[in-house]
Amino acid sequence: MPPPDVDGPRARGAWWLPAVLVVVCGSLLAALVIATAGAHGAPFGVDSHVHGWVLVHRPSWVRDGAVGVTVTGSGVPAYVLAALAGALAARTVRWYGALLGIVALASAQLPRIVLASVLARPRPPVADWAFSASGWAMPSGHTTTSMAVAVLLTVAAHRRARSRLRPVLLILPVVWAVAVGVSRVVLGVHWPTDVLAGWLLAACWAGSAALVVHGLRCRKTGAVTSKERQRP
């Protein structure tokens, strides 16, 4: 007889938290997208105010630090971190977990690309940029990507970390992702609401992924239980 599924009842009752996350963050994201579309992509008052303040209060060392942070939040570094998170979270085959990590991150990119293309929101003026950038502004690609990676790293830490550093390892990825999002505003390549949209989209993605995993686990648990009942 296989070992009892001690996580089964708890897992079956844990669907509501990611569902609430999807509903709340999805509603906020929809409201932000509708408002942005209604303004034809123009910056909101808070965008202009924060952007103007940043331009006046960003010394060279702040810009250099922001560049150092922002380069870790997209492209090869982000996918390497996603693969590492997947490998660490995998219970058996590491390479398969790494592949799943890459696929999971890619799945967060598709809705971001579609949404950015539909909104076609311009970035701040190029003269204000302290770093190179490309593509439409909302949602911020670096912000969405880094927060999705942070979710994967947090899951890996939750499964693997057992030392006193566990609380730090659970929080550190999110701190890093927030820093990446802030760096995009500091560098002048995104409006603050672009970054907010990226965080909301990543939260929706994380909640949706959690619901999918929850459904698969419940289905597997139900299948195992049915087989046990059929045995004489």
Side-chain angles (χ1 to χ4, degrees):
M1 179 181 295
D5 182 16
V6 294
D7 292 331
R10 182 174 59 186
R12 285 191 291 270
W15 64 270
W16 64 270
L17 186 57
V20 169
L21 183 67
V22 171
V23 171
V24 173
C25 292
S27 299
L28 293 174
L29 178 61
L32 181 57
V33 166
I34 292 172
T36 302
H40 304 288
F44 301 108
V46 64
D47 288 322
S48 300
H49 178 77
V50 173
H51 181 75
W53 187 91
V54 166
L55 295 181
V56 178
H57 299 86
R58 59 173 188 186
S60 59
W61 65 270
V62 171
R63 292 196 301 270
D64 293 342
V67 170
V69 171
T70 208
V71 296
T72 65
S74 185
V76 174
Y79 277 93
V80 169
L81 289 174
L84 176 62
L88 291 175
R91 298 184 184 279
T92 53
V93 185
R94 300 290 186 181
W95 70 264
Y96 183 68
L99 180 60
L100 285 180
I102 293 174
V103 172
L105 180 56
S107 71
Q109 299 298 333
L110 181 59
R112 182 196 65 79
I113 293 173
V114 171
L115 187 56
S117 300
V118 170
L119 282 175
R121 189 188 204 189
R123 293 176 181 268
V126 178
D128 298 339
W129 296 4
F131 194 67
S132 60
S134 61
W136 298 112
M138 180 184 280
S140 165
H142 280 69
T143 301
T144 307
T145 300
S146 60
M147 191 56 76
V149 172
V151 171
L152 297 175
L153 289 172
T154 300
V155 170
H158 178 73
R159 286 191 172 185
R160 293 297 178 184
R162 293 294 182 268
S163 67
R164 294 181 179 179
L165 292 177
R166 190 169 190 265
V168 176
L169 294 176
L170 291 173
I171 296 174
L172 190 59
V174 177
V175 174
W176 162 73
V178 170
V180 172
V182 172
S183 74
R184 306 306 287 169
V185 177
V186 171
L187 294 173
V189 295
H190 274 292
W191 304 111
T193 49
D194 299 336
V195 173
L196 175 59
W199 285 333
L200 292 173
L201 179 59
C204 291
W205 169 83
S208 299
L211 287 174
V212 170
V213 172
H214 170 77
L216 292 175
R217 285 180 175 176
C218 288
R219 183 177 180 181
K220 182 179 179 180
T221 301
V224 171
T225 302
S226 299
K227 289 181 180 179
E228 288 298 316
R229 290 176 178 176
Q230 291 173 1
R231 290 181 181 178

